[in-house]
Amino acid sequence: MKSTLEYLLFLTIARILQQLPLGLVRRLAAALAAFVYYVLSIRKKLTLQQLRRAFPEKEDAEIRRIAYGSYVSLVTTIFELMWTPRLTFERLPEVLRIRNPEVVERARRRGNGLIMMSGHFGNWEWLSIGASRLMGFTATVIVHPLHNPSVNALVEGWRTQLGNRVVDLGLSIREIIKTLRERGIVALIADQSGPSGALYVRFFGRHAATYEGPATFALRTGAPIVMTYAVRAADGNYDVILEEIPTRDLQGLNEEHLHELTRRHVRALERMVAAHPEQWLWQHKRWKHTPHAESVLIEDPDHE
């Protein structure tokens, strides 16, 4: 009964938002974000704590501004996802502006497939739904299924409406390898906390458990990793920025290369988050696990 009510509520809100202009949807998202941040205070303490540790040089007023902006960004992403049925192929170039598509074009010409990787930054949902289509191809998108099966089925329909294929995270390893070996494109997000036994890479100065999967797939298949970001601009739409992670000096899968490539893509994401901190998901427990005696700690070459 609870899952049915959740689904009906989610569907009702989505149907209402789909009747509204996108600009109004975004304004409603900002209003709800203010309520969640100032009144409900959901994960507010965690968000402020993580921001203060990530940016110890910033004044408290700035930290609070970033925190509030992060809530607006999150709710906006959710509301825009609900609005997705109205996101036609004709409208894509308006809401997603690919700024440097030549990065992907060069990477694809190598013929080893491509890993398009991002974080919970900007509107990561519309990024995965539309960026590949704007560049003339479809992608296999790796997702973590939502806990409510009915809501998950609804969202999966939105995620695939422009031609992409969705694969659940738990079933993804074989599909990722197969797609890359067939010179296809895999899209994934790997910025959430890994398990306690994962590699620990510094992220904003603190060791964070980090998934090694993206680097493993890249080194095993020769597929380039292109970091892909949907940066929310002043007009509410998104500038899609692409950045290839250097791998020419990391040929072949071994421990040293795995650690270094993981460090490089974490550092690339950190640079983008540092430039637009209000657009990242600070509500997530990124530093959930603390390194232990057997943990593998990956340091930057110049870290003292």
Side-chain angles (χ1 to χ4, degrees):
M1 177 62 72
K2 180 182 177 181
S3 62
T4 300
L5 291 175
E6 285 178 347
Y7 169 71
L8 291 174
L9 177 61
F10 186 88
L11 179 62
T12 299
I13 295 172
R15 291 281 173 82
I16 292 172
L17 293 177
Q18 289 160 21
Q19 304 307 309
L20 304 176
L22 182 56
L24 179 55
V25 169
R26 288 168 170 165
R27 289 194 293 274
L28 290 173
L32 179 59
F35 180 74
V36 172
Y37 179 79
Y38 289 110
V39 180
L40 300 182
S41 297
I42 298 173
R43 294 210 169 192
K44 182 177 178 179
K45 182 178 179 181
L46 171 68
T47 300
L48 291 170
Q49 179 187 66
Q50 293 191 145
L51 278 166
R52 286 172 179 137
R53 294 194 67 175
F55 301 105
E57 75 283 2
K58 293 186 182 297
E59 298 290 338
D60 196 60
E62 176 68 2
I63 292 294
R64 291 181 178 276
R65 185 196 67 78
I66 294 170
Y68 171 65
S70 179
Y71 280 78
V72 173
S73 182
L74 172 58
V75 179
T76 299
T77 296
I78 295 170
F79 273 24
E80 287 178 342
L81 175 62
M82 290 177 166
W83 197 84
T84 296
R86 292 187 58 186
L87 184 63
T88 62
F89 184 76
E90 291 72 25
R91 189 157 191 180
L92 268 182
E94 174 189 340
V95 298
L96 291 175
R97 300 174 292 235
I98 312 293
R99 292 308 189 191
N100 52 340
E102 67 278 2
V103 173
V104 163
E105 293 165 5
R106 285 196 302 265
R108 292 188 71 200
R109 281 200 292 267
R110 289 181 220 156
N112 293 324
L114 174 65
I115 298 172
M116 295 183 71
M117 188 173 166
S118 191
H120 290 85
F121 177 92
N123 189 331
W124 62 89
E125 291 285 359
W126 277 8
L127 180 69
S128 67
I129 290 169
S132 61
R133 293 295 290 120
L134 284 171
M135 290 183 280
F137 54 87
T138 58
T140 296
V141 182
I142 310 304
V143 301
H144 195 291
L146 303 174
H147 75 278
N148 186 308
S150 297
V151 174
N152 187 69
L154 182 65
V155 171
E156 186 170 306
W158 299 338
R159 288 169 170 166
T160 57
Q161 74 178 34
L162 295 180
N164 285 339
R165 185 168 68 106
V166 167
V167 175
D168 289 351
L169 181 63
L171 307 172
S172 64
I173 294 178
R174 182 177 297 179
E175 289 296 325
I176 290 173
I177 297 297
K178 179 175 182 291
T179 299
L180 295 176
R181 285 181 172 166
E182 293 175 352
R183 302 183 179 183
I185 288 81
V186 171
L188 54 82
I189 290 177
D191 64 336
Q192 292 189 303
S193 175
S196 61
L199 303 176
Y200 283 80
V201 183
R202 285 189 182 274
F203 188 59
F204 286 97
R206 298 164 59 197
H207 284 108
T210 304
Y211 289 103
E212 59 188 65
T216 300
F217 296 133
L219 294 169
R220 183 173 171 182
T221 66
I225 294 178
V226 172
M227 299 299 292
T228 313
Y229 313 100
V231 182
R232 188 174 290 109
D235 64 358
N237 295 318
Y238 299 91
D239 293 324
V240 177
I241 308 298
L242 307 166
E243 176 190 0
E244 182 175 351
I245 304 301
T247 56
R248 292 186 183 277
D249 59 332
L250 304 175
Q251 300 302 308
L253 176 58
N254 59 48
E255 187 175 85
E256 179 184 356
H257 292 171
L258 175 65
H259 292 181
E260 176 58 15
L261 184 51
T262 302
R263 186 194 70 81
R264 288 180 188 181
H265 74 65
V266 169
R267 200 59 60 244
L269 176 65
E270 181 185 83
R271 288 194 296 270
M272 182 58 70
V273 174
H276 306 276
E278 73 286 352
Q279 296 194 35
W280 192 62
L281 191 70
W282 293 97
Q283 296 81 9
H284 167 66
K285 294 181 180 178
R286 184 62 186 92
W287 295 271
K288 178 179 180 180
H289 300 294
T290 302
H292 46 83
E294 282 113 31
S295 296
V296 177
L297 306 182
I298 300 176
E299 302 286 5
D300 291 326
D302 58 350
H303 182 77
E304 297 182 358

